[in-house]
Amino acid sequence: MDFSLGAAVFYFHPLKCSVKLNRSFPWFGMDIGGTLVKLVYFEPVDITAEEEQEEVENLKSIRRYLTSNVAYGKTGVRDVHLELRNLTMCGRTGNLHFIRFPTQAMPRFIQMGRDKNFSSLHTTLCATGGGAYKFENDFRTMADLELLKLDELDCLIHGLLFVDRVGFNGHPECYYFQNPSDTQSCVKKPCTLDNPFPMLLVNIGSGVSILAVYSETNYKRVTGTSLGGGTFLGLCCLLTGCETFEEALEMASKGDSTNVDKLVKDIYGGDYERFGLQGSAVASSFGHMMSKDKRDSISKEDLARATLVTITNNIGSIARMCAVNEKIERVVFVGNFLRINTVSTKLLAYAMDFWSKGQLRALFLEHEGYFGAVGALMELLKTTEDP
Amino acid sequence: MAECVRVDSSTSTHTMDKSITLPPDEIFRNLENAKRFAIDIGGSLTKLAYYSTVQHKVAKVRSFEHNTKEAASDKLYEISVQEEVTARLHFIKFENAYIETCLDFIKDHLVNTETKVIKATGGGAHKFKELIERKLGLKVDKEDEMTCLIKGCNFVLRNIPHEAFVYAKHADSEFRFQTTHPDIFPYLLVNIGSGVSIVKVESEDKFERIGGSSIGGGTFWGLGALLTKTKRFDELLQLASKGQHTSVDMLVKDIYGGSYGSLGLTGDLIASSFGKSATADKEFSKEDMAKSLLHMISNDIGQLACLYAKLHNLSRVYFGGFFIRGHPVTMHTITYSINFFTKGEVQALFLRHEGYLGAIGAFLKGAEEDNPNQYSWGENYAGSSGLMSVSPDMNPMQRARSGTFDMLEMDRLERQLVNLPLLQDPSSYIPDTVDLTEDALAREYWLYCFEEALDGVVKRAVASQPDIPEATERAEKFRQKYRHKLQTLRHQPFAYGSLTVRSLLDTREHCLNEFNFPDPYSKIKQRENDVALKYYQKAVKSLEELSWEQRQFALVRGVLAGNLTPSVPCEQRPWLVDSYDQWLERLKGPPHKCALFFVDNSGVDIILGVMPFVRELLSRGTEVVLASNSGPALNDVTNGELQILTERIAAMDPVIQAGLREDRLTLVQSGSSSPCLDLSRLDKVLAMVVRERQTDLVIIEGMGRAIHTNYYAMLSCESLKMAVIKNSWLADRLGGKLFSVVFKYEVPAGKPSQDSAALTPS
């Protein structure tokens, strides 16, 4: 496989717009996950004077609120660095904004929808993720809003392929690590998903879903695991008393997991040659913690790091087995677990490379966890029934 | 990963009472004859293995010289009791805290000075190396753990018929034992120590670690200890068994409000382990966290095991390691996980003697010069502790278990045991008709029966050794031992694999042997044989006078009557199971090439029932192979006795004599010493003879062999099962009355026959 930039062939699938150029604003796509709500908002920049005049005040205020702030309430965040500028969607030009907030804040969000009289805007709110089902009734009864519920895996794949096609403001969306087995010379390299199929898509949110994708519409969920981002954060909170993902990662970045994990060399004094296991391989995650003395002297940072390494390695191991079973060489990792998490991305890149003896390649995408929401937005622009 | 270091000793030596609760000579049995030691030291348990020779008494029969016959007495043959030496393997499991006490005891009782080396394996071996060398004066020779584990696993799978089981928490019996496939390879062994090793075993010497995971028992223990401040592994498991994982885990329904229908994910499925604990403002109970952790780890291991099983196309997956080791909680969660991930295609299998594998393997490594694998071995029920449920909820005896010793004894069998080549499908053959582990009513009945019969057995045992004064004392010990076994089985029906009438009978024989009552029936058998022999010629003569058709019926009645006490008349036809008409039709056709006849009782049965039947077969031109027990069991005729009887009959009967002379009548031993019959464990010679002679008819008679066992056995040739049901409860179960007759003639589907046999009870 050649991942070099030079060979890039730009795929362009024009969006199939059934509603001609005038799909009424606002354009939102929403992905309500177990931990985080991901919201994408299309801000049109080609508004004509005529349109401007007709635009209701409500709509203007929403646009202003979203685009002039980078934080919303205590927990809402706009990932400004991810913004896709001058994007053409459905014949309109605009900027795509990426916003996230905790799923716990969902009731407040719905409340806001009611206060802002969102239902008067005659738009369809396209939502995916489990929350689209869970909160459907709340949207209806509290805010008089009908959700258009969409399958999360469909949205994930559509959104991912779309963002990869349009690129990241002139740069590729996709990247990999060169020399993943060598911490010194391991570097992030951009690339494109020239011919993306087949790919094993590993979506790491609160839990993990693993999909084998053969085309935009042909895919299957191979398996999943409950040991995902939610497990990392949940265990870290219990073990260290931290409260946020950022805090947990910050601690993990300073810790050393070998104080917590038992390595092969801790047991065999070196490599276990009979089975070709390196001394530095982890034999037992948290294995040192069986001893009370070691439990009493361990630091929170080490515990956070060990938790991160354990979860990441496990995902890598399952993903690798699936790739071998499905005979797919390209493994694409997405999901918000990978946000600001270079420890995990590098570890996954290393694990894929090392255990497959270079056969498998781990690929990552800049917009990690937002593809479901993008996919939901695309569905909005596709829908035929006009409200 | 590969290792099985279980613990730091700090966690296992906590408040251990160092006294041994059993007299040590009942634990380290027969130590004075021990040679060749092996030891497997894990994190908390030590397993010691040694080989010994056991002297015990066996009953032998010997023919009197013909010319001195009148001078001797009117007895047919002489019975003598001889000493015999057999080989036995001893395996003892105890907590590491006892290791020093045990080593001292061994040192004091070790007579054999040839032993110079002790094979050692297990993560704790290096820690105790110095202690062992100092105490025993033996050189510690370390063996690779995984190699030992696999060797041990192969050994138990090959030699213990009900070694593997499926665990079902809510079923009537927790343990469902599996018939071991005649070819035990290939299989996957998932060893869950502190890490996980997944090993593919392809043959005795070929195995490969195909994968593993660092999330294993050590993760449960280490992470569990951090989360709950609970130190001990067992306590963590107990916490887990009381917890509710749903308060800690994020379920599919927590995200979706219900199920994720389009993917078929139910609402109760865990979407994210510990997904609800990512909050600072909530406290979680220790129990709930432990449960969540247990699920997380079990599911993860199960998933990996399934991925590897699928990749290597293996369907037999055995789980072992300290994480499993008989813990119902972990067996349940692993089973659940495997069912989920393979949609029931792969079953999680566990092993009764999982804890001994390393010690067995280490021992075998040390004994390679004796080539133990060339023999067949059998579990000695009298000396083995049996499997226990360690769940405190399920087993009130658990408390008493801590600080006790667990034992396994394997006897070397005189001959190699193999499948009867005529089994239709050896891999699905189950000898026993009723599995008492699964049938609570039947279990209760039979345990009661055997307990009731105990007095009689003790009396007969004493009577069989009238000249030995301490026989009464030994018989009393036998009574205690066997009663204790019955009590154990009442609480733990699965202790020795599937509980069956056969296993109850075999256990009784093992216990009788244990206390040197090798053949309590020898004199009775001798007397009965003697009496019956006097009527032989008369019986044959009266049969000769009958018409062909009358004779065929009389012969069958003769076999059935031999199965009865003389006072009971044979049931009128139609019998409970009656395919006599088909049999008669068959006899009108061409003779069989060769008949294999599994015989039952001494006396009237063999002499006046079986022999005339054999005579008729020979006259028809059918060769006959008579298979009788190698060792004594109840009043069953043994091979030794049958040799003499046949000789005596041959002297009176030219047909039998010609049969012997022309080698058309052969006597072989079955390899068994049981009143029942396991067609998957027969003497190799018998299998060879059966094959050579192109046997096309198998005859099985008597309740033990044709009803308690083999009633449903499917053979690849014609078969005839004949018995009288001498137990009213069983008769009732089968829809008949006491002394109902079973005459089951079967022709395998697809085989040409005169007539298709009706197999349904009339």
Side-chain angles (χ1 to χ4, degrees):
Chain A
M1 245 189 302
D2 188 5
F3 289 86
S4 66
L5 262 174
V9 177
F10 201 74
Y11 265 67
F12 188 78
H13 294 293
L15 260 180
K16 288 170 204 128
C17 249
S18 48
V19 186
K20 263 189 186 167
L21 305 183
N22 60 352
R23 191 83 177 86
S24 62
F25 291 116
W27 291 357
F28 282 113
M30 202 173 186
D31 176 5
I32 311 167
T35 312
L36 282 177
V37 180
K38 283 77 65 176
L39 186 70
V40 293
Y41 168 64
F42 184 83
E43 172 209 2
V45 293
D46 57 355
I47 300 176
T48 59
E50 193 185 346
E51 271 181 317
E52 177 105 39
Q53 245 181 352
E54 279 179 14
E55 196 175 29
V56 292
E57 195 49 43
N58 208 351
L59 193 55
K60 279 193 187 113
S61 96
I62 287 171
R63 190 167 74 231
R64 231 175 288 125
Y65 174 70
L66 289 176
T67 56
S68 61
N69 289 306
V70 292
Y72 315 94
K74 274 186 200 153
T75 50
V77 174
R78 180 155 63 89
D79 283 313
V80 183
H81 67 286
L82 291 180
E83 183 179 327
L84 293 178
R85 289 183 299 274
N86 289 314
L87 193 66
T88 305
M89 286 185 99
C90 237
R92 301 299 301 252
T93 304
N95 301 325
L96 197 57
H97 298 277
F98 296 87
I99 297 160
R100 62 184 150 88
F101 60 90
T103 307
Q104 282 176 340
M106 208 52 209
R108 244 178 303 149
F109 180 81
I110 299 172
Q111 190 72 38
M112 191 180 76
R114 185 176 72 171
D115 297 346
K116 304 256 174 190
N117 203 13
F118 208 86
S119 58
S120 66
L121 290 172
H122 304 294
T123 186
T124 307
L125 196 48
C126 281
T128 186
Y133 296 80
K134 187 178 176 183
F135 296 105
E136 182 185 21
N137 201 38
D138 291 349
F139 270 103
R140 187 183 297 129
T141 56
M142 289 170 68
D144 193 26
L145 279 169
E146 273 309 317
L147 291 188
L148 180 61
K149 303 191 298 292
L150 301 163
D151 181 80
E152 63 174 297
L153 300 181
D154 288 342
C155 287
L156 170 67
I157 291 166
H158 294 157
L160 183 150
L161 293 171
F162 173 75
V163 176
D164 180 64
R165 275 194 303 267
V166 299
F168 186 14
N169 299 326
H171 300 283
E173 166 70 13
C174 185
Y175 65 91
Y176 70 101
F177 288 95
Q178 205 170 43
N179 307 320
S181 300
D182 179 5
T183 40
Q184 297 300 312
S185 60
C186 171
V187 277
K188 179 175 166 179
K189 289 274 183 185
C191 65
T192 51
L193 281 173
D194 301 354
N195 184 3
F197 308 114
M199 71 170 153
L200 195 76
L201 182 56
V202 183
N203 185 29
I204 317 174
S206 314
V208 182
S209 273
I210 300 181
L211 320 176
V213 187
Y214 301 100
S215 78
E216 180 139 10
T217 49
N218 178 17
Y219 71 88
K220 66 173 180 189
R221 184 180 188 273
V222 179
T223 188
T225 165
S226 69
L227 283 82
T231 315
F232 163 65
L233 187 55
L235 280 176
C236 261
C237 291
L238 292 172
L239 293 172
T240 70
C242 72
E243 290 182 32
T244 66
F245 184 66
E246 288 77 4
E247 237 184 296
L249 279 182
E250 174 66 19
M251 275 198 283
S253 69
K254 293 179 202 150
D256 179 358
S257 61
T258 62
N259 294 327
V260 180
D261 296 340
K262 236 183 212 180
L263 306 185
V264 169
K265 68 177 172 213
D266 295 326
I267 298 158
Y268 293 98
D271 299 349
Y272 188 14
E273 279 157 23
R274 176 73 180 78
F275 288 134
L277 288 174
Q278 287 183 308
S280 60
V282 184
S284 173
S285 297
F286 286 83
H288 278 318
M289 297 297 96
M290 289 187 278
S291 140
K292 187 173 188 308
D293 295 344
K294 292 200 166 144
R295 281 201 297 277
D296 291 345
S297 63
I298 201 71
S299 76
K300 290 180 173 184
E301 287 76 14
D302 290 349
L303 288 173
R305 179 65 165 235
T307 310
L308 186 60
V309 168
T310 301
I311 300 293
T312 306
N313 273 335
N314 190 59
I315 294 169
S317 171
I318 293 171
R320 188 178 61 85
M321 286 302 298
C322 290
V324 176
N325 269 337
E326 301 297 324
K327 301 181 180 64
I328 298 176
E329 290 178 348
R330 191 174 2 207
V331 186
V332 181
F333 292 94
V334 296
N336 266 317
F337 174 66
L338 300 174
R339 192 172 67 79
I340 57 169
N341 187 358
T342 45
V343 172
S344 291
T345 47
K346 284 187 176 176
L347 204 51
L348 287 169
Y350 167 76
M352 289 303 110
D353 183 70
F354 180 82
W355 291 108
S356 74
K357 301 187 177 72
Q359 286 294 299
L360 298 177
R361 175 159 273 179
L363 299 173
F364 304 92
L365 298 169
E366 299 285 358
H367 288 82
E368 295 120 358
Y370 281 110
F371 301 115
V374 174
L377 171 64
M378 289 165 68
E379 208 58 37
L380 168 76
L381 302 182
K382 239 201 272 185
T383 43
T384 44
E385 62 281 313
D386 212 356
Chain B
M1 296 212 148
E3 52 79 59
C4 317
V5 172
R6 313 323 161 191
V7 226
D8 306 290
S9 62
S10 60
T11 46
S12 59
T13 50
H14 60 298
T15 51
M16 193 61 68
D17 171 11
K18 300 225 173 175
S19 64
I20 292 178
T21 50
L22 270 177
D25 54 345
E26 282 189 26
I27 300 165
F28 300 101
R29 301 192 336 144
N30 209 25
L31 202 55
E32 54 281 6
N33 296 319
K35 59 173 193 176
R36 211 166 262 139
F37 283 81
I39 195 162
D40 172 14
I41 308 178
S44 53
L45 292 174
T46 296
K47 282 77 65 177
L48 185 80
Y50 58 92
Y51 168 97
S52 79
T53 45
V54 192
Q55 266 205 333
H56 58 98
K57 295 197 169 29
V58 285
K60 293 272 176 186
V61 290
R62 199 166 58 104
S63 190
F64 288 112
E65 293 303 314
H66 286 272
N67 45 6
T68 58
K69 183 185 159 199
E70 265 146 74
S73 67
D74 56 346
K75 285 183 186 136
L76 262 173
Y77 51 80
E78 165 183 40
I79 303 165
S80 65
V81 172
Q82 297 169 8
E83 293 283 338
E84 202 179 64
V85 176
T86 56
R88 182 173 283 176
L89 302 183
H90 301 255
F91 303 97
I92 301 122
K93 184 160 71 181
F94 49 88
E95 301 199 31
N96 286 356
Y98 295 109
I99 202 163
E100 214 167 327
T101 320
C102 290
L103 291 176
D104 281 333
F105 182 83
I106 293 167
K107 184 189 158 201
D108 294 344
H109 292 79
L110 194 59
V111 183
N112 188 314
T113 49
E114 282 167 46
T115 304
K116 301 269 187 275
V117 174
I118 179 165
K119 289 282 180 190
T121 188
H126 67 277
K127 218 171 80 186
F128 292 96
K129 181 173 188 281
E130 198 267 331
L131 183 76
I132 298 168
E133 296 195 331
R134 181 163 46 84
K135 291 265 179 196
L136 296 184
L138 299 177
K139 188 179 160 291
V140 170
D141 193 2
K142 270 213 77 174
E143 287 291 339
D144 174 69
E145 244 178 277
M146 199 52 70
T147 310
C148 291
L149 210 59
I150 304 294
K151 266 196 171 305
C153 193
N154 293 341
F155 184 83
V156 294
L157 286 176
R158 198 177 292 121
N159 290 290
I160 303 183
H162 285 144
E163 180 58 30
F165 61 86
V166 167
Y167 184 77
K169 188 183 175 187
H170 300 294
D172 181 39
S173 80
E174 302 162 73
F175 304 88
R176 274 190 286 125
F177 293 92
Q178 306 290 299
T179 328
T180 311
H181 196 277
D183 185 7
I184 62 170
F185 305 109
Y187 65 86
L188 207 60
L189 179 66
V190 181
N191 191 53
I192 315 174
S194 49
V196 181
S197 275
I198 301 177
V199 185
K200 177 185 179 184
V201 187
E202 283 175 283
S203 71
E204 187 58 43
D205 300 303
K206 193 175 173 209
F207 64 90
E208 185 193 356
R209 183 186 190 276
I210 54 172
S213 166
S214 67
I215 300 184
T219 315
F220 178 69
W221 195 340
L223 199 45
L226 285 167
L227 292 172
T228 67
K229 315 277 178 252
T230 303
K231 287 181 213 159
R232 296 194 65 217
F233 181 72
D234 290 0
E235 286 170 24
L236 275 168
L237 282 181
Q238 268 177 32
L239 280 181
S241 65
K242 288 180 233 149
Q244 282 291 331
H245 74 102
T246 51
S247 61
V248 184
D249 290 341
M250 189 182 280
L251 309 184
V252 166
K253 68 179 171 203
D254 292 321
I255 302 175
Y256 274 82
S259 67
Y260 184 177
S262 63
L263 285 183
L265 304 178
T266 62
D268 288 326
L269 207 66
I270 305 171
S272 174
S273 295
F274 288 90
K276 281 185 195 155
S277 66
T279 164
D281 49 0
K282 235 180 114 184
E283 287 283 311
F284 297 92
S285 80
K286 290 177 178 188
E287 288 82 359
D288 293 352
M289 288 188 289
K291 180 64 168 264
S292 173
L293 187 61
L294 178 70
H295 274 302
M296 173 179 112
I297 290 169
S298 299
N299 286 338
D300 194 53
I301 295 169
Q303 180 170 28
L304 273 178
C306 293
L307 286 168
Y308 281 102
K310 187 179 166 199
L311 187 64
H312 293 264
N313 201 16
L314 296 170
S315 58
R316 273 172 280 169
V317 185
Y318 300 104
F319 287 85
F322 85 78
F323 185 69
I324 300 290
R325 201 132 306 160
H327 297 298
V329 200
T330 57
M331 287 195 286
H332 175 62
T333 51
I334 287 282
T335 300
Y336 179 87
S337 169
I338 294 288
N339 281 341
F340 175 78
F341 285 109
T342 68
K343 300 180 179 75
E345 277 172 33
V346 174
Q347 280 191 315
L349 295 169
F350 305 96
L351 300 169
R352 266 179 64 207
H353 299 100
E354 191 278 319
Y356 288 109
L357 302 186
I360 294 173
F363 174 82
L364 293 174
K365 282 293 273 184
E368 263 164 4
E369 59 199 73
D370 287 351
N371 193 8
N373 274 332
Q374 74 180 325
Y375 301 103
S376 287
W377 299 78
E379 183 176 6
N380 176 15
Y381 294 140
S384 302
S385 315
L387 181 73
M388 294 219 186
S389 172
V390 289
S391 158
D393 309 331
M394 279 177 247
N395 175 24
M397 287 160 83
Q398 197 255 337
R399 284 276 147 229
R401 193 191 188 218
S402 168
T404 60
F405 285 63
D406 196 84
M407 285 158 284
L408 165 66
E409 290 183 3
M410 300 283 291
D411 283 331
R412 192 173 79 197
L413 306 177
E414 294 299 304
R415 50 212 97 245
Q416 241 185 313
L417 303 182
V418 296
N419 272 311
L420 178 69
L422 298 170
L423 282 176
Q424 214 172 71
D425 176 16
S427 61
S428 68
Y429 168 71
I430 299 167
D432 307 286
T433 306
V434 181
D435 183 348
L436 302 180
T437 31
E438 289 183 8
D439 188 334
L441 272 177
R443 178 168 74 237
E444 210 145 296
Y445 171 76
W446 287 109
L447 284 170
Y448 169 80
C449 257
F450 277 84
E451 195 145 357
E452 282 291 288
L454 193 49
D455 278 340
V457 177
V458 169
K459 249 182 233 159
R460 199 161 303 118
V462 175
S464 73
Q465 298 178 355
D467 312 323
I468 307 170
E470 40 79 56
T472 319
E473 197 186 317
R474 268 189 291 119
E476 218 30 64
K477 281 187 182 161
F478 154 76
R479 181 209 299 275
Q480 279 170 22
K481 181 129 200 173
Y482 190 58
R483 178 172 288 157
H484 180 75
K485 291 276 168 197
L486 291 175
Q487 270 157 8
T488 306
L489 288 166
R490 215 177 279 275
H491 293 289
Q492 330 247 82
F494 41 77
Y496 298 96
S498 283
L499 180 65
T500 59
V501 173
R502 176 168 64 105
S503 75
L504 285 167
L505 286 164
D506 289 354
T507 307
R508 193 165 73 188
E509 296 299 327
H510 289 184
C511 289
L512 281 167
N513 276 326
E514 192 68 26
F515 294 100
N516 273 324
F517 293 106
D519 192 359
Y521 281 86
S522 56
K523 297 237 167 67
I524 299 171
K525 288 189 285 185
Q526 185 190 36
R527 201 167 51 241
E528 285 177 358
N529 285 335
D530 199 30
V531 172
L533 211 51
K534 291 188 175 122
Y535 291 95
Y536 179 76
Q537 276 172 309
K538 203 175 139 197
V540 167
K541 188 161 174 282
S542 64
L543 283 165
E544 295 273 282
E545 284 161 5
L546 297 173
S547 71
W548 180 84
E549 202 156 323
Q550 284 174 322
R551 187 165 69 247
Q552 301 315 312
F553 187 67
L555 286 168
V556 167
R557 287 209 27 174
V559 172
L560 294 169
N563 241 270
L564 278 171
T565 20
S567 56
V568 181
C570 193
E571 187 191 31
Q572 289 299 308
R573 285 191 66 198
W575 295 319
L576 178 59
V577 178
D578 192 341
S579 39
Y580 178 74
D581 293 343
Q582 287 78 11
W583 170 246
L584 191 68
E585 276 310 301
R586 174 63 188 87
L587 288 181
K588 289 174 185 164
H592 295 91
K593 168 80 182 62
C594 173
L596 169 65
F597 202 137
F598 288 98
V599 301
D600 187 23
N601 299 335
S602 298
V604 175
D605 184 14
I606 183 75
I607 295 168
L608 303 179
V610 174
M611 278 303 184
F613 200 99
V614 167
R615 190 177 189 277
E616 180 76 14
L617 287 170
L618 287 170
S619 311
R620 272 172 64 78
T622 302
E623 291 173 36
V624 180
V625 177
L626 279 182
S628 53
N629 269 4
S630 301
L634 296 176
N635 63 337
D636 291 3
V637 64
T638 64
N639 188 254
E641 289 155 357
L642 190 55
Q643 300 269 4
I644 296 169
L645 294 179
T646 313
E647 246 172 66
R648 306 304 291 276
I649 290 169
M652 303 184 264
D653 184 345
V655 177
I656 298 290
Q657 193 171 45
L660 287 174
R661 193 179 55 237
E662 292 156 20
D663 197 28
R664 291 193 300 113
L665 172 61
T666 319
L667 307 188
V668 293
Q669 35 189 323
S670 64
S672 156
S673 307
S674 165
C676 295
L677 178 64
D678 180 352
L679 295 175
S680 66
R681 279 168 79 79
L682 293 175
D683 193 331
K684 209 175 175 180
V685 175
L686 184 150
M688 203 183 68
V689 171
V690 160
R691 216 176 277 121
E692 272 173 6
R693 307 218 161 189
Q694 295 163 23
T695 305
D696 53 356
L697 173 66
V698 174
I699 304 171
I700 307 175
E701 66 136 347
M703 204 160 84
R705 291 176 181 75
I707 304 236
H708 288 316
T709 54
N710 299 310
Y711 189 69
Y712 298 116
M714 304 284 278
L715 296 163
S716 60
C717 66
E718 291 172 50
S719 63
L720 189 55
K721 296 163 190 169
M722 292 183 275
V724 177
I725 306 170
K726 290 176 285 188
N727 172 294
S728 56
W729 185 88
L730 187 64
D732 194 47
R733 264 271 166 130
L734 295 172
K737 296 190 297 284
L738 186 63
F739 304 123
S740 285
V741 168
V742 169
F743 186 93
K744 204 174 181 187
Y745 167 63
E746 288 166 295
V747 180
K751 289 263 168 175
S753 79
Q754 314 312 103
D755 200 345
S756 64
L759 304 179
T760 45
S762 46

